[in-house]
Amino acid sequence: MSLLNPLLLNARRFGAGVDVSARGITLVVLSERLFGGGPLRIEWLAHAPLARETLAGTEIADRAALAATLRELFGALPRACTQATLRCAMALPTGATLLASVPLARLVPEAGAAAWKKDVSGLYTELEPLVLAEAERVAGIERHELAVDWHVGPFGAIGSAGSSGSSGSSGSGAAALREARVTIAATARSHLEARIECAAMAGITLCALDDEAHAALRAMRHAAAFELPPHETWAALWIGAAGIHGWLVADECVSRTMRFPALEYADLVEALRDLASDAQVGCTLVSGDLSMLLGVQFSLADIGDVLGSPVLPFECAPLADADHPLDVSLLHDPSCVVAFGLALRGVSE
């Protein structure tokens, strides 16, 4: 005899991802069953262009125009989506987000590390002002104008974008403290506030804001779980306005990262070889605006030759329900990856 209400057995959790870029706004809505598991379902895919003057680099120049386009996109959602509680996440431009990783020992005096050895939970309270000072130093922006997110490895797990600090801990010991690193993500608070305001003007409440590159990686890791053999070493590439981000994934963990253009690389070939290092890459997933490869005179075939692996462009199509009609062009558009990754966050959290 089931103790659950039969009506709840088919209930679904919905998440929406909104990617705002110079190409326009892309909206992806995903859902999954609350009970019993099962695959994600793509409920909706939509795209709307933006007037050229709406964005000025990473800044939103015309908030009213952006809000109007958001209102139009969400107004076209099917009934199943409008009647559900949508957890919405929006992208932050990668060019507006600063990432830094510093050894914990550089921030923490030796005496402080010894004191925390028995009480790791106290680490986060005492460390927060030091992290904020480091973020201020690296970003060159006063801390009250920054939105900072951070975590300490191997103790912490990164929190929601835009929060100041993290919580939770695991592990202890002086050796672990000496080896730990503090990973910091920071952006100008104005970038968050502008997007929250535009969403509010459109009648949308955002549950999170996330960096474009991390959202793209989240989507590609989800696709790899379905399309690639388990435990295979593979590479993920995302092509955005700020350049190309790359990750090497081995045993389901990111082992190496790459960003191009960068001063340490003469060209993209050198960057890709550094990403692969000595690893045998089984497959490479590529996403984002693939037309930008033309700017560096590269192709998907060239990527495969350098990494020595087959190359698969990210597509929503393999993850879509055949009985659920959606825009065919968007199903095969690799640039939907950021919105998909954002919706995935909305569903899973």
Side-chain angles (χ1 to χ4, degrees):
M1 176 180 176
S2 175
L3 298 179
L4 292 174
N5 186 325
L7 295 177
L8 293 178
L9 293 177
N10 293 322
R12 305 185 71 85
R13 178 189 294 109
F14 287 71
V18 183
D19 179 27
V20 179
S21 68
R23 299 177 69 251
I25 302 177
T26 302
L27 171 64
V28 175
V29 180
L30 303 177
S31 73
E32 69 174 356
R33 294 176 63 179
L34 283 173
F35 304 101
L40 288 175
R41 187 167 72 196
I42 303 177
E43 299 285 348
W44 192 244
L45 288 171
H47 178 83
L50 284 173
R52 183 176 299 178
E53 61 272 13
T54 304
L55 300 179
T58 59
E59 302 287 341
I60 300 174
D62 191 339
R63 299 188 184 188
L66 179 57
T69 306
L70 283 172
R71 192 181 302 112
E72 178 184 347
L73 272 178
F74 277 83
L77 286 174
R79 185 176 180 182
C81 298
T82 57
Q83 291 182 337
T85 300
L86 276 178
R87 292 181 55 81
C88 301
M90 185 179 284
L92 280 169
T94 295
T97 306
L98 180 144
L99 295 175
S101 178
V102 297
L104 178 62
R106 200 177 93 185
L107 298 178
V108 179
E110 193 65 31
W116 282 326
K117 186 167 60 174
K118 295 183 179 180
D119 180 22
V120 178
S121 62
L123 172 69
Y124 296 96
T125 301
E126 299 294 333
L127 189 56
E128 182 168 340
L130 302 175
V131 169
L132 294 178
E134 179 68 14
E136 181 181 43
R137 184 190 69 80
V138 175
I141 302 175
E142 294 184 11
R143 68 183 68 182
H144 69 273
E145 296 180 355
L146 281 174
V148 182
D149 197 11
W150 58 277
H151 75 92
V152 182
F155 305 110
I158 199 160
S160 302
S163 63
S164 294
S166 295
S167 60
S169 62
S170 61
S172 59
L177 279 169
R178 285 195 299 270
E179 296 173 2
R181 299 184 68 84
V182 181
T183 301
I184 304 170
T187 188
R189 189 172 295 278
S190 59
H191 291 310
L192 272 74
E193 292 174 347
R195 283 155 179 79
I196 292 171
E197 179 183 334
C198 288
M201 291 168 62
I204 303 162
T205 300
L206 298 179
C207 69
L209 290 108
D210 204 353
D211 178 72
E212 291 174 312
H214 287 90
L217 176 60
R218 186 185 302 113
M220 287 188 283
R221 294 185 76 160
H222 180 79
F226 288 90
E227 300 181 32
L228 304 183
H231 307 298
E232 180 177 67
T233 298
W234 59 282
L237 298 176
W238 174 72
I239 304 165
I244 300 175
H245 287 250
W247 302 268
L248 185 68
V249 183
D251 293 325
E252 301 184 358
C253 295
V254 175
S255 58
R256 293 181 67 85
T257 62
M258 174 272 288
R259 185 169 181 175
F260 179 83
L263 293 177
E264 60 264 36
Y265 303 127
D267 52 30
L268 183 54
V269 172
E270 185 178 340
L272 291 173
R273 286 175 177 167
D274 182 65
L275 176 67
S277 188
D278 297 325
Q280 182 66 42
V281 181
C283 186
T284 301
L285 288 182
V286 182
S287 64
D289 188 356
L290 304 191
S291 64
M292 295 186 70
L293 286 173
L294 298 176
V296 290
Q297 299 180 341
F298 232 67
S299 67
L300 295 181
D302 294 328
I303 292 174
D305 289 341
V306 174
L307 295 178
S309 72
V311 176
L312 298 177
F314 174 87
E315 295 183 347
C316 294
L319 307 171
D321 188 338
D323 298 327
H324 210 64
L326 296 165
D327 188 323
V328 175
S329 62
L330 291 177
L331 281 173
H332 297 280
D333 189 347
S335 67
C336 289
V337 66
V338 172
F340 188 97
L342 293 166
L344 194 62
R345 174 170 180 165
V347 165
S348 61
E349 290 187 351

